[in-house]
Amino acid sequence: MKLKILVNAMTVAGLLSTSLVATPAMAQSTAKEATTHTKANNDALYGQLPFFDKTDFSNAHKGFIAPLPQDVIKGEKGNVIWNPQQYAFIKEGQKAPDTVNPSLWRQAQLINISGLFEVTDGVYQIRNLDLSNMTIMEGKEGITVIDPLVSAETAKVGMDLYYKNRGKRPVVAVIYTHSHVDHYGGVRGVVDEADVKSGKVKVYAPAGFMKEAVSENIMAGNAMSRRASYMYGNLLKPDAKGQVGAGLGTTTSAGTVTLIEPTHYITEDGQKEVIDGLTYDFMMAPGSEAPSEMLWYVEEKKMIEAAEDVTHTLHNTYSLRGAKIRDPLAWSKYINSAIERWGDKAEIIMAQHHWPTWGNDNVVKLMKSQRDMYRYINDQTLRLANKGLTRDEIAANFALPDGLAKSWAGRGYYGSVSHDVKATYVFYLGWFNGNPATLDELPPVDAAKKYVHYMGGASAILEKAKADYAQGNYRWVAQVVSKVVFADPSNKAARNLEADALEQLGYQAESGPWRNFYLTGAQELRNGVQKLPTPNTASPDTVRAMSPEMFFDFLGVHINGVRAANAKAVFNVDLGKDGGQYKLELENGVLNHSANAVAKEADASITLSRDTLNKIILKETTLKQAQEKGDVTVAGNPAKLDELLSYMDSFDFWFNIVTP
């Protein structure tokens, strides 16, 4: 029996993943210096943006208690999970290197202000021990931990830092602000699940949290994870010619991703909960920065917790790793609702990235600017679309008003005006621009060969592209030379020229993810895809949290529809009392499933517990061992099951991106 093929595919593909986690790795590359055009482009920013304003630096230092421990955090096998010294080359007060956008360098300096901080009496934050912040609220009986980072290992170090400086207090509650992994993954470094199950520790989360936390990256998880290795610069060396951060934080930790199911859900606006003696006024914000997200106001602290909806950057309304597009109009309305509800009384606003803002006037000013930023992108994209402009035409000349564009919190360190505008267009109108010439374009390789032929051949293109490169036209050089590379990926001169152009674009990029995409692309063009250790994101907690429906949907994605087009088969799957009974039907290249259904004339029936399935997926046991123990039984025609499994595709993580 080949069930092992099925479950192995799950772990190999990384489809149980949170898309953020990757094992940092270094590949050899030949990075070049910034050109005169790049230097001029970057230097111009000093006269365009208010670098004289040091308010953010004052706020980022405010309340400092203790630095992060400088020891490298390692896993049981010696793998590096977090190196707190890897960004030591980013010095506060230092002028940006020629190879880094000065605005992004400023953001990197701010993010690197690390350690344990007091936000207000009884409220503490640990910053730059992972991509996100961890917040600790002291209450009547103990502490409440908000968003325990990506990895259990970094979260534990953070807790130890807090205990060392504030004394040992019991954790009585955990709150997840939303369903992204950097806001829950380290929970087992903070609390023991036994304490949660006994009721000693309560876990709060917004409605829909578990479904969204598990499902977001399953169906397209392999592609998301590969693209995330570009987005977060996991394959780049941290230095002035490589990775300098992600704009939202420095980077992601690479430890153990965990998950403990919430015990209490916030389901409606205005829901109030007294947690350890403090009064939380919750507001739902689904479909803003995450599908499941919430904000709240702590009455006793006069403090807004903005989750990830009000930060010190223009955020993604579309993540470059790949994700469902977010609704900028809803996002802006949630912030407006928060202003209406709490704006007259809030003295502090903080989020789970970056540093807090103090003072009512400053809090309201920040919220209004963030609200207006997302609303402006939404409204003006639609205005121009209704005038007949296409996605790319709108993005090409779109700019925020000066009042927003020159606000540091409105700069595109993580999102960007360009790709957020494009996302908004697609959110409303889809990928098609309305021009029938673009309705059924040739695929990239076929089109590239035609382009190269029409343009007089590779040599002629490269000669013209070199001249454009000398003029600093890097966007066009990257665009046109990519056609040569796709037409002939063995053309070393084309690969190197495109890499040079991408590299200069990376040096100029204000967005951390844009820089990381450009520089990683340049690196892979020069050196090929380095098949370094792949992320291990199929954590036990994630596997256990998958519903059977998610599992069977996942299997359907693996069916090669062409090979299975004429196949017909029916199966019963019994996952026991904890998993339920399912009918699977293979027909027309599609695998459908029905819950609580049993086929009368199934080709084969498989019986195993959900626990056994989890153990096989996690490679804690093998199928053969499970069968020998009697934990898996197959009745009927095993050949039909073999046939089904023969249609299953596996996914290679290291697929090409900058080459065909």
Side-chain angles (χ1 to χ4, degrees), residues 444-463:
V445 172
D446 293 343
K449 290 178 179 179
K450 286 288 188 183
Y451 275 116
V452 171
H453 175 68
Y454 272 53
M455 293 164 78
S459 297
I461 295 171
L462 292 180
E463 184 178 352

Side-chain angles (χ1 to χ4, degrees), residues 9 11-15 17-23 220-230 234-235 524 529-537 650-657:
T11 51
V12 171
L15 291 182
S17 75
T18 59
S19 62
L20 296 178
V21 181
T23 303
N222 192 65
M224 280 188 181
S225 295
R226 171 69 169 120
R227 286 167 52 158
S229 71
Y230 269 58
N234 296 116
L235 309 179
E524 292 194 348
V529 177
Q530 306 294 307
K531 295 186 178 182
L532 301 160
T534 56
N536 181 19
T537 53
S650 60
F651 302 141
D652 179 13
F653 181 85
W654 295 107
F655 58 79
N656 292 337
I657 292 178

Side-chain angles (χ1 to χ4, degrees), residues 510-527:
E510 186 175 35
S511 163
W514 280 45
R515 176 185 175 91
N516 292 336
F517 260 91
Y518 284 136
L519 297 185
T520 305
Q523 182 170 274
E524 292 194 348
L525 282 164
R526 289 168 175 156
N527 302 312

Side-chain angles (χ1 to χ4, degrees), residues 137-144 168-172 275-277:
M137 306 277 294
E138 295 177 355
K140 187 178 179 181
E141 303 294 335
I143 56 176
T144 296
K168 188 77 173 182
R169 292 172 167 84
V171 178
V172 298
I275 303 173
D276 198 20

Side-chain angles (χ1 to χ4, degrees), residues 349-654:
I349 186 169
M350 67 174 183
Q352 294 309 109
H353 297 277
H354 305 142
W355 51 95
T357 296
W358 290 266
N360 182 259
D361 288 348
N362 297 325
V363 168
V364 174
K365 181 181 178 183
L366 175 62
M367 293 175 75
K368 284 184 175 180
S369 69
Q370 293 265 298
R371 173 198 66 187
D372 294 349
M373 180 170 65
Y374 297 114
R375 182 87 196 216
Y376 190 90
I377 288 172
N378 181 85
D379 292 358
Q380 297 308 306
T381 299
L382 287 177
R383 179 181 69 84
L384 294 169
N386 281 313
K387 290 173 74 71
L389 276 70
T390 65
R391 182 197 71 177
D392 295 349
E393 288 171 335
I394 298 168
N397 297 300
F398 197 104
L400 295 173
D402 274 0
L404 298 174
K406 292 186 177 180
S407 164
W408 287 117
R411 303 302 297 181
Y413 302 120
Y414 193 54
S416 74
V417 170
S418 174
H419 83 255
D420 281 5
V421 164
K422 291 178 178 179
T424 302
Y425 182 98
V426 175
F427 182 78
Y428 286 101
L429 294 168
W431 61 266
F432 180 45
N433 65 11
N435 183 342
T438 67
L439 188 58
D440 192 24
E441 294 179 306
L442 291 176
V445 172
D446 293 343
K449 290 178 179 179
K450 286 288 188 183
Y451 275 116
V452 171
H453 175 68
Y454 272 53
M455 293 164 78
S459 297
I461 295 171
L462 292 180
E463 184 178 352
K464 295 174 183 175
K466 287 175 184 175
D468 263 314
Y469 182 91
Q471 296 297 315
N473 298 323
Y474 307 125
R475 288 170 65 190
W476 172 243
V477 172
Q479 185 176 340
V480 72
V481 177
S482 180
K483 304 296 186 187
V484 181
V485 172
F486 268 70
D488 178 15
S490 67
N491 189 322
K492 188 71 173 175
R495 292 172 69 118
N496 286 336
L497 182 56
E498 184 187 350
D500 290 349
L502 291 176
E503 187 168 64
Q504 295 303 316
L505 290 170
Y507 293 165
Q508 294 180 30
E510 186 175 35
S511 163
W514 280 45
R515 176 185 175 91
N516 292 336
F517 260 91
Y518 284 136
L519 297 185
T520 305
Q523 182 170 274
E524 292 194 348
L525 282 164
R526 289 168 175 156
N527 302 312
V529 177
Q530 306 294 307
K531 295 186 178 182
L532 301 160
T534 56
N536 181 19
T537 53
S539 73
D541 287 342
T542 307
V543 170
R544 285 191 287 267
M546 286 180 69
S547 68
E549 286 81 3
M550 290 180 188
F551 175 75
F552 293 127
D553 284 340
F554 168 83
L555 294 188
V557 173
H558 278 261
I559 293 287
N560 185 313
V562 176
R563 293 206 311 265
N566 298 315
K568 285 189 178 182
V570 180
F571 305 92
N572 288 326
V573 179
D574 188 343
L575 295 175
K577 60 182 178 65
D578 295 325
Q581 293 181 312
Y582 292 83
K583 178 177 67 176
L584 306 185
E585 297 175 281
L586 178 66
E587 191 172 2
N588 297 318
V590 173
L591 186 66
N592 287 295
H593 64 268
S594 303
N596 304 312
V598 178
K600 292 182 180 179
E601 297 182 0
D603 293 293
S605 297
I606 309 164
T607 302
L608 72 166
S609 69
R610 176 61 199 267
D611 182 59
T612 298
L613 179 61
N614 290 342
K615 288 178 179 177
I616 295 172
I617 296 169
L618 295 167
K619 299 182 179 180
E620 294 174 1
T621 188
T622 66
L623 175 66
K624 183 178 179 181
Q625 290 169 337
Q627 284 182 291
E628 290 173 350
K629 290 176 62 178
D631 293 335
V632 177
T633 60
V634 180
N637 184 359
K640 282 298 242 185
L641 185 59
D642 289 346
E643 182 188 352
L644 168 66
L645 297 171
S646 73
Y647 300 133
M648 295 284 178
D649 269 347
S650 60
F651 302 141
D652 179 13
F653 181 85
W654 295 107

